[in-house]
Amino acid sequence: MSRAAIELINVEKVYEEGTPAEVHALRGIDLVVNKGEFIAIMGPSGSGKTTLLNIIGTMDKPTRGRVIIDGEDVTDYSEARLAHIRREKIGFVFQFFNLISTLTALENVTLPMLLTGKYSEKEAREKALDLLTLVRLRERANHKPRELSGGEQQRVAIARALANHPTFVLMDEPTGSLDTVTGSRIMSLCRVLNEKFGQTFIVVTHNPGVAKAAKKIYHIRDGKLYKTPPEDLMKYTWTPSVGEKNEIMRVYIRILRQELNSLKRRLTSGQISDAEYRMIKQRILQDLELIRRGIEK
Amino acid sequence: MSALSVYKYAVKFAWNDMTSRKVRAGLTILGIAVGIAALVALMSITLGMRTQIENMLSETLGLAVTLSGKTGVEVPVGLIPAIMKIHGVVNAYPVIEQTALVGSALQPAILEGIELKNLKDAFPNMELKEGRLFYEDEEGVLITPNLADRLGVDIGDTIEISPRSTGATSKRFRVVGIIDIGLSFGEMGFIVMPLSQAQELYNRPGYASSIVIKVASRDLIHPLAEALKKMFPEARIIEPEQIARQINRIMDVVNATLLSIGSISLIVAALSVMNTIAMVVRERVREIGILKAIGAQRLHILAIFLSEAFLLSFIGGLVGIAIGLAGAHIVTSGLIKFMGMQLTPVIDPVVLLEGLIIASAVGVVAGFQPAWKGANIRPIEALRYE
Ligand SMILES: Nc1ncnc2c1ncn2[C@@H]1O[C@H](COP(=O)(O)OP(=O)(O)OP(=O)(O)O)[C@@H](O)[C@H]1O
Ligand SMILES: [Mg+2]
């Protein structure tokens, strides 16, 4: 298997094709995102960022071209199979309107975990509380979205996107309604997760400061992708503070321990095989080890 | 286990949606409730009627077969010794039962001619209110209070009775007692007189309109009726079961008619559930998009909207049952008040359960189409929906 996590081959997106209102939102995008990359996509309004992210996230299908995720060509997959991929591998933060309004913040974060069928409700809730702690919303856990500010809603959405520990996290203007401090804290979180667990992040943003968190920046203009970033952005090296880093790690140690518990339960209740159990356990232990080393530093 | 908790969330979602739109939810619930209320009320009332009719039959006929002629007073009393010899017969006595016209205003009333010794058997619930019973050969009669009121007579007064029969003339009788006849259908008014007097009035000495034949047990009724039919092919033989069966058949038709009226209101209710769910789906389109983005399957989304349809109609069913029962009581008490009918609705738990099941089924079936539509919206279209 190649290291390519996501591969877009000559992807075009034409809205309202064949009508006078035809819009060429994407014009032949070729993109390879490797596992563990952290990329930012920048571009002016209407340049096709959301369209691109939706296609990467299997929410939308390209008019032409192929979409390959984790080595699988998903371009012609059925809705049911795509739902499965989204549930298992992808975490989404949308530009606007992210939450289920009839459920509380906690329930919103819990839901994706329940959908996988891997967690008991209690396990999922505990993990959700930890994630809400990471985005500093633990005290708001039982609030409904309409009782939260725009930025708080955005942070709940980020916690939800991380819920299933997805291989890919796709964020569309995640810091759009956040102040600089909160925004940078969220980006620190993403950076740490990316560095420690190798989760792949693709972040769409207008904000050059946010883009600095990424290791690679793509620029999109009028539906075409450009790789040539300005020199000054490349020079910037971004580091979260040690305190921030350690706090995130501590919470993640708890999350991973819980992950182990869920795994054990699934083994004893016969939901997974012995081999699967050992494989996943190995991975979690590796992650734990990585974190421990990180904290010692 | 966790699959279940997903559906728990679906119900939570639905419930929160309902409570955030109380007026709409309330109206939809009411729509279902009205249909179910109609069904439950109608069923309870007709069940009440059926029970009432069965009571009436057992009051009057009990363990008896009646043998009567085609019309009028034409059964010879002399048949009785032969009838008494039939297997299982414990008693047989003649009665004259005719409609007669009473007083100068010619009020209709039911005339009963019967020997004093058989009075208790023919009218087991009869009660003497005032005066005394008649003597065997006296020109005295017992009348019911409603008839006394209508005629404006009291004990000691005389009334003129026209037999409504050719070859017979009217005659005056003295009222010796006021009785409560103890029958559910006593509204028309009863006159009870000695058999011999009735025979004289109808100018048919030695004859009766029917012979009441009593047997020892219920299973003897039918063989007796068969035997009588063979012995007296000319006569009409009436078994209580037979009447009950006939009345039941009529009640079934009535029931079916009422049920179809009830179902029409349920169709209306179904449309209102359908409309509500369609509105909910439209309001929640963007959330459908989010659900799909986090990997919800079609079934999960279907579950959310069907939960709401189910909750609405289930609650509607409960409310409908309550309204229906209250309505049945109001209607029957109205019937008692204005039409003098005695009727208590019968509450059958099976009917109530059926009402609840019908309500829920109607809701879920009606909600299915819009819910299915919602579940099939493409994720990106859902997210972009304004
Ligand atoms: N459903 C649609 N139908 C028609 N045109 C569309 C549709 N969605 C987007 N477009 C058009 O496609 C182009 C790209 O849109 P997109 O939403 O990807 O832009 P964006 O880069 O995310 O912009 P912004 O920064 O403002 O969010 C725009 O010109 C937009 O008007
Ligand atoms: Mg956009």
Side-chain angles (χ1 to χ4, degrees):
Chain A
M1 209 169 70
S2 71
R3 280 199 14 101
I6 292 164
E7 210 177 336
L8 300 190
I9 304 169
N10 200 17
V11 163
E12 285 179 45
K13 181 70 188 181
V14 187
Y15 290 113
E16 318 276 342
E17 192 171 36
T19 71
E22 196 171 270
V23 178
H24 289 263
L26 300 177
R27 307 164 186 263
I29 301 266
D30 286 301
L31 172 68
V32 177
V33 182
N34 289 323
K35 283 228 173 80
E37 274 198 291
F38 195 135
I39 71 166
I41 297 172
M42 295 188 71
S45 184
S47 54
K49 302 183 297 294
T50 299
T51 307
L52 179 62
L53 213 58
N54 282 336
I55 287 176
I56 294 173
T58 77
M59 290 290 286
D60 202 358
K61 295 202 172 191
T63 312
R64 273 172 285 280
R66 313 302 298 175
V67 179
I68 293 152
I69 289 181
D70 245 358
E72 277 182 274
D73 186 337
V74 302
T75 322
D76 301 318
Y77 272 21
S78 70
E79 226 351 273
R81 285 183 85 176
L82 291 177
H84 186 261
I85 288 178
R86 289 197 289 268
R87 189 160 68 216
E88 301 286 335
K89 297 190 174 170
I90 301 174
F92 247 117
V93 179
F94 296 109
Q95 192 170 4
F96 315 103
F97 194 83
N98 264 295
L99 303 177
I100 307 291
S101 61
T102 50
L103 299 180
T104 63
L106 182 64
E107 288 164 348
N108 265 284
V109 181
T110 308
L111 193 54
M113 291 186 262
L114 295 182
L115 284 171
T116 64
K118 288 179 187 168
Y119 301 86
S120 74
E121 199 182 336
K122 190 169 160 282
E123 290 162 0
R125 287 174 82 89
E126 246 153 61
K127 193 172 164 190
L129 271 175
D130 281 334
L131 289 165
L132 285 174
T133 309
L134 280 180
V135 295
R136 294 175 188 266
L137 279 176
R138 200 189 175 103
E139 331 71 69
R140 296 276 189 278
N142 293 317
H143 287 226
K144 294 260 178 73
R146 81 179 106 78
E147 299 154 356
L148 296 170
S149 76
E152 285 170 335
Q153 290 183 30
Q154 200 88 8
R155 277 140 72 200
V156 175
I158 289 164
R160 187 194 58 202
L162 298 175
N164 282 328
H165 203 61
T167 326
F168 314 104
V169 183
L170 311 181
M171 300 180 162
D172 199 348
E173 285 288 1
T175 57
S177 27
L178 300 180
D179 60 283
T180 327
V181 174
T182 315
S184 80
R185 198 174 278 143
I186 292 296
M187 292 320 290
S188 299
L189 171 62
C190 297
R191 257 306 270 271
V192 172
L193 297 179
N194 167 255
E195 281 172 9
K196 291 298 170 191
F197 305 134
Q199 276 175 297
T200 308
F201 280 79
I202 301 177
V203 180
V204 161
T205 183
H206 287 291
N207 185 339
V210 169
K212 282 177 196 164
K215 293 172 188 155
K216 205 189 260 179
I217 300 174
Y218 287 94
H219 297 264
I220 188 166
R221 293 284 183 283
D222 207 12
K224 284 194 180 138
L225 208 56
Y226 300 91
K227 230 176 174 176
T228 50
E231 275 302 306
D232 54 84
L233 284 180
M234 275 307 277
K235 270 187 240 149
Y236 184 89
T237 47
W238 190 97
T239 25
S241 80
V242 175
E244 264 175 338
K245 211 166 175 175
N246 285 347
E247 190 202 333
I248 295 167
M249 288 301 107
R250 265 193 297 277
V251 175
Y252 252 86
I253 285 175
R254 289 197 17 221
I255 290 181
L256 287 172
R257 287 219 181 99
Q258 234 180 290
E259 213 66 59
L260 276 176
N261 285 342
S262 311
L263 194 64
K264 252 177 238 157
R265 184 186 50 74
R266 279 200 286 150
L267 177 72
T268 48
S269 65
Q271 285 179 42
I272 51 170
S273 72
D274 224 40
E276 273 178 288
Y277 170 73
R278 252 178 278 128
M279 204 183 76
I280 303 172
K281 185 181 170 186
Q282 183 61 30
R283 222 176 49 216
I284 297 175
L285 289 179
Q286 256 171 22
D287 283 347
L288 265 174
E289 188 48 39
L290 283 171
I291 294 174
R292 286 217 185 86
R293 249 184 265 145
I295 287 184
E296 279 157 22
K297 255 187 251 171
Chain B
M1 157 169 64
S2 10
L4 256 182
S5 37
V6 173
Y7 294 109
K8 202 172 107 190
Y9 270 51
V11 174
K12 203 177 255 179
F13 186 113
W15 177 259
N16 289 345
D17 186 71
M18 270 170 60
T19 47
S20 70
R21 300 273 181 171
K22 290 197 182 67
V23 174
R24 182 175 68 195
L27 288 174
T28 314
I29 286 171
L30 202 63
I32 286 273
V34 167
I36 294 299
L39 282 183
V40 166
L42 296 174
M43 292 294 280
S44 302
I45 292 172
T46 46
L47 262 177
M49 282 182 173
R50 226 186 258 261
T51 322
Q52 186 71 12
I53 287 166
E54 268 157 26
N55 286 347
M56 264 155 74
L57 288 175
S58 59
E59 272 167 16
T60 48
L61 296 170
L63 293 174
V65 174
T66 27
L67 180 153
S68 52
K70 296 260 168 335
T71 52
V73 185
E74 55 188 43
V75 183
V77 176
L79 295 177
I80 289 177
I83 290 169
M84 285 296 287
K85 286 198 190 98
I86 300 173
H87 171 71
V89 173
V90 292
N91 191 14
Y93 56 84
V95 293
I96 288 179
E97 185 170 63
Q98 295 286 299
T99 50
L101 301 173
V102 198
S104 46
L106 297 179
Q107 299 265 7
I110 296 170
L111 185 146
E112 300 275 355
I114 189 159
E115 288 166 288
L116 187 59
K117 62 173 193 262
N118 297 320
L119 200 55
K120 195 78 205 143
D121 186 82
F123 305 106
N125 299 324
M126 194 189 92
E127 238 179 84
L128 186 65
K129 296 257 170 213
E130 272 175 66
R132 56 171 176 83
L133 297 181
F134 52 70
Y135 302 123
E136 197 57 82
D137 283 319
E138 180 186 21
E139 289 181 1
V141 296
L142 308 170
I143 61 174
T144 48
N146 50 0
L147 191 60
D149 274 357
R150 251 178 271 154
L151 297 170
V153 295
D154 213 337
I155 292 176
D157 295 338
T158 58
I159 53 174
E160 177 154 11
I161 301 176
S162 319
R164 275 181 83 189
S165 162
T166 48
T169 49
S170 64
K171 212 178 150 190
R172 294 195 81 82
F173 291 85
R174 182 172 303 280
V175 177
V176 297
I178 305 287
I179 49 161
D180 181 345
I181 195 87
L183 294 177
S184 322
F185 51 98
E187 300 84 42
M188 203 178 180
F190 278 78
I191 304 165
V192 187
M193 63 170 69
L195 178 72
S196 54
Q197 292 299 327
Q199 287 170 332
E200 221 168 282
L201 177 65
Y202 283 92
N203 202 13
R204 300 286 288 160
Y207 284 85
S209 64
S210 46
I211 294 175
V212 178
I213 305 156
K214 299 293 235 188
V215 289
S217 67
R218 212 173 171 84
D219 48 316
L220 291 169
I221 291 179
H222 193 62
L224 171 66
E226 292 302 309
L228 287 171
K229 275 176 201 158
K230 273 204 202 99
M231 283 170 71
F232 311 107
E234 304 280 275
R236 278 171 56 206
I237 313 293
I238 299 163
E239 297 170 64
E241 320 279 290
Q242 197 182 336
I243 299 177
R245 231 176 292 135
Q246 224 154 25
I247 290 177
N248 269 337
R249 221 171 295 142
I250 295 168
M251 292 303 293
D252 282 341
V253 174
V254 172
N255 236 353
T257 318
L258 295 181
L259 273 178
S260 65
I261 295 170
S263 350
I264 290 171
S265 57
L266 271 183
I267 290 172
V268 175
L271 290 176
S272 104
V273 171
M274 201 164 156
N275 183 50
T276 299
I277 299 301
M279 277 167 78
V280 174
V281 168
R282 223 173 305 131
E283 285 163 12
R284 302 280 169 204
V285 167
R286 292 181 39 140
E287 299 191 347
I288 294 174
I290 291 162
L291 284 166
K292 293 205 158 181
I294 63 173
Q297 302 276 16
R298 211 154 52 175
L299 200 63
H300 298 130
I301 291 161
L302 205 58
I304 287 174
F305 297 119
L306 286 186
S307 304
E308 186 154 352
F310 175 80
L311 284 174
L312 287 169
S313 51
F314 185 80
I315 296 172
L318 289 178
V319 174
I321 285 172
I323 298 176
L325 292 181
H329 279 283
I330 291 169
V331 168
T332 49
S333 64
L335 286 179
I336 293 168
K337 212 170 192 171
F338 298 111
M339 295 167 68
M341 271 174 81
Q342 273 183 33
L343 195 59
T344 13
V346 170
I347 296 158
D348 181 352
V350 174
V351 168
L352 304 190
L353 195 68
E354 273 173 8
L356 210 52
I357 292 171
I358 290 173
S360 314
V362 162
V364 171
V365 169
F368 191 84
Q369 190 267 344
W372 182 251
K373 227 172 123 188
N376 280 298
I377 298 176
R378 284 186 45 230
I380 196 66
E381 277 158 22
L383 270 182
R384 225 180 260 133
Y385 188 88
E386 293 301 325

